[in-house]
Amino acid sequence: MLLIHCPYCEDTLPELEFTYAGEAHIARPADPSAFSDEEWRDFLFIRTNARGPHYERWRHIGCGRFFNALRDTVSDRFLMTYKAGEARPTLTQEAAE
Amino acid sequence: MSRYRIPGKGRVDHSAPVSFTFDGKTYGGLRGDTVASALLAHGVHLMGRSFKYHRPRGAVTAGSEEPNALIGTSRGAGQFEPNTRATVQELRAGLVTESQNKWPNLSFDVGAVNDRAYMLFSAGFYYKTFMWPKSFWDKVYEPVIRGAAGLGKSPTEPDPDRYASRYLHTDVLIVGAGPAGIAAALAAAQSGADVTLVDENPEMGGSLLSDPAVQIDGKPAWDWVDAQLARLRAAGVRLMTRTTAIGYYHQNMVGLCQRLTDHLDNPPKGAPRERMWRVRAGQVVLAQGALEKPLVFDGNDRPGVMLAGAAQTYLHKYGVKVGDNPAIVTSHDSAWYAAFDLADNGARVAAIIDTRDVVRPDLLDGARKRGIEALTSHTVTTTRGRLRVKSVRVAPVRGTHVGTGRSIPCDCLLMSGGWTPSLHLFSHTKGSLAWDTTSQTFLPDRKTEECEIAGAGRGLWGYESVLADGAAAGLRALQGLGRAGHDASFTVANDRPGTGVSHTELPTDGNAGKARAFIDFQNDVTAKDIRLAVREGMRSIEHVKRYTTNGMATDQGKMSNINGLMIAADALGKAPPQVGLTTFRPPYTPTSFGAFCGYLRGDTFQLTRKTPIDPWAEANGAVFEPVAQWRRAWYFPKPGEDMHAAVLRECKATRASLGIFDASTLGKIEVAGPDAVEFMNRMYTNPWTKLQPGRCRYGLLLGEDGFIRDDGVIGRLSSDLFHVTTTTGGAARVLTMMEDYLQTEWPELDVWLTSTTEQWATVALNGPNALKMLKPLVEGVDWEDFPHMSCAECTVAGLPARLFRLSFTGEIGFEVNVPARHGLTLWTALMEAGKPYDICPYGTETMHVLRAEKGYIIVGQDTDGTVTPADAGLEWAIGKAKKDFVGKRSLSRPDIVAKGRKQLVGLLTEDGSLLQEGAQIVLDPNQPKPMKMVGHVTSSYQSTMGHPIAMAVIEGGFDKMGETVFVPMPDGVRKARITSTVFYDPSNERLKA
Ligand SMILES: [Zn+2]
């Protein structure tokens, strides 16, 4: 069972307290009606499906907050977590190890 | 005294006899015996029949890796356990055991005919033999295979035992309390770290318990073990025996299964049978040792053929000679010591047959001194004996040439094909393995967790090196925690170092095509099966494994994987690491379901949510049904009524006068704040801006994909406060979805979301007399301005309330919300006030019928995640003028505006019979199969109108009004007419009071 760091609670807690919430940094467009069918299809359904580091959203059930994480889909490990709304961090060498 | 027990020898208590039964016969054993050691003490080797061929089998090991000696054990009703390893199960008074896979009895078994037909059952037989004809599957193959095969019998009664579970946080967890594990624990404990040492056996000491002649730091092995365990205890180390590390998970979480009572004659009443520990460790030391490999030759599975290390364990731990006249066949030095120990304890060793050309001179000397014939460069080509080995055929080997063989009589054959480091837990962590060409085995390579591997588990051999390695691993673990310690060293006398070589099948002077040389004893896989799989095109070891089932039995190939790999690699002409090793998965050994469940069973499997009115329902004879985690009153039968009669009476009473219903389980969310109306506009399809405080509206919630997710009536209590209701099952999901949008898409909105599901008790009143009955109880409502779809904060029966006028039945309806603590008071007051109107409590089934008669949908029953508002006939609920809301853009997606979507319609059967919910619908019942299915029945009920009604989704259903469709059901095809979904009062006259 993984241990996950909630950036709001500033505590590292067992996986049981968290749920996965899909890929991160896919913002809902301000005006969906301006999207073509293809653009809207991509927004709804097309995902990175990364092998390796993957930006994704999690929710801490304890505090109810959604946050973002960078997780390696091969090792299943969390490389870092950060608050919703913060810019996509670049993967540093230390974090990757 | 048992014939093969050596008086006074071993770690068993010779003064404490324990009797037990095996296949109905009573045997005497000693305290400390396993079932296997006790049977072997009586000369009983035949302990079971094999899975596929029903070949007679005996114990081949003395530990948890045992593939053959699987027995059923029984302690009482519901306490039967199949596939218990006789080599692990400790004796206790009155233990009842039985062999498996035999009929009519163990020594004469009809199923053994499979053994002669073995050509039929070769690799891939599951895929080949039973392919055709298809109709044979359920009539012939399945029953025959089920009857003949199977590992033991499943228990049929509920397990009455208790199982416990606990968490543990520890600095260092050491798995395996052999010499390496004990040395690691000594090192780790020196700085005061919290150390936990676990071992699957009843006693700690590991291989030292089977090698008592070894001396460590001047002490005999057993004395040394006792002294070190005492030191560890004094240092506060947690010592856990009968505790198996079953799985190694992320971030140093290890699952331990501790067996607490199976060895006790009289377990304390109520004591848990097993306890599952979830351990989070700072550092883990794996000191699991190595498992001995069998050699692969014809007849290597005959009872009496056993691993040499196992014989040594039976001798020293249990004081049992596995035979008077053993022969030994080996490719590793270790078996020579087993032969010497048996000879020194009175066995007449028939011969030591070593496949190697060169054997260490001191071993040859040892054999000579004891008068044992030692045959190097020799092999065993077959064994003889029906239910027990009687002789072994040996032959000289020069390269690939097998010379003339001869028969050597013996009463058991002890084999050793070398040792495989036990890396199962390490593999659970996805740690990588590297092939070591010298030792011809996989060794741990790259680690993914904070762990150390010590001793024979990483290919070391000989006590001095293993002890030093354990101590070093313990010290590294300590340093990993940022603590300091110092080195330790051990001096060992009478050490038993050793090396060996690995083989594929041993060469034979017989017909190689007829050889029954087993690799996987539990799944009856032979060397030939592996070669056949390769010939038939399997290239990867994972394919070979699945085709042959090698390593797929309950022992996960602990003994067979490396032999299987060596043979597959040889057949493919590749090096073993190029063929690869199959993946080990938890649990390490078979683990009871009870241990996994722990406390989560029966009433504590999951919580049951009950409404404040539940006690009244229970006292008044309600039949309950589970809805999400709630238990809800389903219907209230009167004496003599079945469900149908009760529901019809409840429906009619409500339509005729007044019904009362506990709707407390409805999800409730309070949406509050200056931007509440904007938030509602964005979340729900409906327009909210113009909804006045004091009014309510049906709300429809879509996913961003345009499909219906939830619905419910929403009241606006003030300009900045909405009382949202959701479906019973959808409450948590809807709140999460709202929170998601609020937190991550629209954080600028000033809105607060609060779940109030459990804060309000909700009672629904429905029927033509609902208003009349309720009015006198209410204060604070202007009835002149309280039409259908109104809401108010007021008092009802003197209780503070949120009153909604709405209807889910088609009758005049109200939902009274009061703080949950007043729920029962409200219900009782309404029941009392309703007496003049023959108020009728009804349950969820009546609620379903009444809503279906009106065509009101239930999200999740009439919709399935692919239904749009238009499909469900709910386009009226969409705020057309709104620029955006969740899901709006998707309503113009090409697939959603396309023709031929399934649409929600009503169905009436021609013959007035009831349709099955879920039944498929076709347009032409005479078309060839498979028929084109155009939809399915979503709801179907007996109604108050004298005939059943149904709803269905049907392709292009709105354009098929009045047309006939067909519904094939198990008892015949029904003809049905497509109608509107509104069966009752289509003009809503009854809602207007
Ligand atoms: Zn949190």
Side-chain angles (χ1 to χ4, degrees), chain A residues 1-4 12 14-16 21 26-38 40 43-45 57 59 64-67 74-77 84, chain B residues 167 249-251 253 278 280 429-430 448-449 682 704-705 707 732 735-737 739-741 743-746 883-890 892-894:
Chain A
M1 186 161 49
L2 292 164
L3 294 169
I4 302 174
T12 301
E15 188 183 338
L16 284 175
I26 300 175
R28 188 176 193 272
D31 182 9
S33 68
F35 267 41
S36 70
D37 284 342
E38 287 70 28
W40 186 248
F43 165 74
L44 285 180
F45 303 123
R57 293 163 6 104
R59 186 181 192 216
R65 302 299 294 268
F66 286 84
F67 60 89
V74 176
S75 70
D76 218 18
R77 264 160 213 276
Chain B
Y167 285 91
Y249 308 91
H250 285 300
Q251 287 167 292
M253 171 162 275
R278 288 166 177 84
R280 187 76 71 173
T429 68
K430 295 204 174 102
T448 65
E449 295 287 341
R682 294 188 194 185
E704 207 65 90
D705 52 14
F707 298 126
L735 180 67
T736 300
M737 182 175 168
E739 282 284 357
D740 191 352
Y741 278 89
Q743 287 180 31
T744 68
E745 299 292 354
W746 312 315
K883 212 171 151 329
D884 190 18
F885 56 80
V886 173
K888 179 178 167 73
R889 173 64 184 83
S890 285
S892 56
R893 279 163 54 199

Side-chain angles (χ1 to χ4, degrees), chain B residues 754-815:
Chain B
T754 310
S755 164
T756 54
T757 302
E758 299 202 345
Q759 276 57 49
W760 297 105
T762 308
V763 180
L765 288 167
N766 281 274
N769 287 316
L771 178 62
K772 220 182 293 174
M773 176 266 190
L774 189 63
K775 238 180 191 172
L777 300 177
V778 178
E779 277 179 35
V781 165
D782 175 8
W783 291 104
E784 297 304 310
D785 185 27
F786 203 71
H788 183 57
M789 299 308 267
S790 297
C791 59
E793 294 193 277
C794 58
T795 65
V796 176
L799 304 166
R802 282 183 183 173
L803 178 64
F804 284 70
R805 180 167 178 183
L806 56 85
S807 175
F808 199 44
T809 60
E811 306 298 334
I812 294 170
F814 294 91
E815 280 178 10

Side-chain angles (χ1 to χ4, degrees), chain B residues 141-404:
Chain B
Y141 300 144
E142 172 83 15
V144 168
I145 295 169
R146 284 266 165 257
L151 284 163
K153 295 181 295 196
S154 293
T156 53
E157 294 157 299
D159 182 346
D161 283 319
R162 285 186 65 234
Y163 295 85
S165 66
R166 280 187 71 174
Y167 285 91
L168 175 69
H169 292 263
T170 189
D171 291 331
V172 184
L173 172 69
I174 297 153
V175 179
I182 290 173
L186 288 167
Q190 60 183 308
S191 79
D194 183 278
V195 178
T196 305
L197 176 63
V198 303
D199 196 283
E200 62 175 342
N201 294 293
E203 284 190 294
M204 294 191 165
S207 56
L208 286 170
L209 302 182
S210 306
D211 264 334
V214 170
Q215 295 211 349
I216 304 168
D217 293 341
K219 279 191 182 128
W222 292 1
D223 293 348
W224 183 84
V225 169
D226 288 345
Q228 305 321 307
L229 294 178
R231 270 176 71 191
L232 292 174
R233 233 172 259 121
V237 172
R238 201 175 287 107
L239 301 175
M240 295 166 70
T241 54
R242 299 187 177 93
T243 302
T244 306
I246 57 165
Y248 191 160
Y249 308 91
H250 285 300
Q251 287 167 292
N252 270 0
M253 171 162 275
V254 178
L256 306 176
C257 182
Q258 184 179 24
R259 294 175 300 284
L260 300 165
T261 58
D262 271 11
H263 62 289
L264 300 177
D265 293 350
N266 297 298
K269 220 174 161 47
R273 179 181 177 223
E274 293 173 352
R275 179 180 292 125
M276 185 72 85
W277 293 83
R278 288 166 177 84
V279 182
R280 187 76 71 173
Q283 295 278 328
V284 171
V285 178
L286 298 175
Q288 295 180 276
L291 296 173
E292 197 167 19
K293 272 184 303 185
L295 287 165
V296 183
F297 53 91
D298 182 49
N300 64 345
D301 65 327
R302 212 173 290 287
V305 181
M306 180 186 286
L307 292 169
Q312 193 179 325
T313 294
Y314 286 117
L315 178 67
H316 291 300
K317 265 174 92 170
Y318 304 102
V320 172
K321 258 187 308 177
V322 297
D324 289 327
N325 187 206
I328 285 88
V329 58
T330 184
S331 66
H332 193 278
D333 298 338
S334 61
W336 289 71
Y337 295 110
F340 297 165
D341 288 357
L342 279 160
D344 296 346
N345 282 279
R348 249 176 334 101
V349 176
I352 301 175
I353 302 128
D354 199 311
T355 63
R356 297 171 296 176
D357 299 333
V358 180
V359 174
R360 260 181 17 224
D362 60 303
L363 296 175
L364 293 170
D365 272 351
R368 198 173 306 121
K369 261 192 287 187
R370 291 172 176 88
I372 302 171
E373 183 181 13
L375 300 164
T376 55
S377 308
H378 270 66
T379 189
V380 165
T381 60
T382 191
T383 62
R384 295 257 187 277
R386 192 172 81 88
L387 299 174
R388 172 83 183 265
V389 64
K390 287 199 170 69
S391 71
V392 48
R393 187 170 175 81
V394 303
V397 184
R398 287 278 173 277
T400 55
H401 176 75
V402 180
T404 312

Side-chain angles (χ1 to χ4, degrees), chain A residues 6-10 13 18 60-65 67:
Chain A
C6 173
Y8 294 97
C9 295
E10 295 184 346
L13 298 158
F18 298 82
H60 182 206
I61 301 163
C63 68
R65 302 299 294 268
F67 60 89

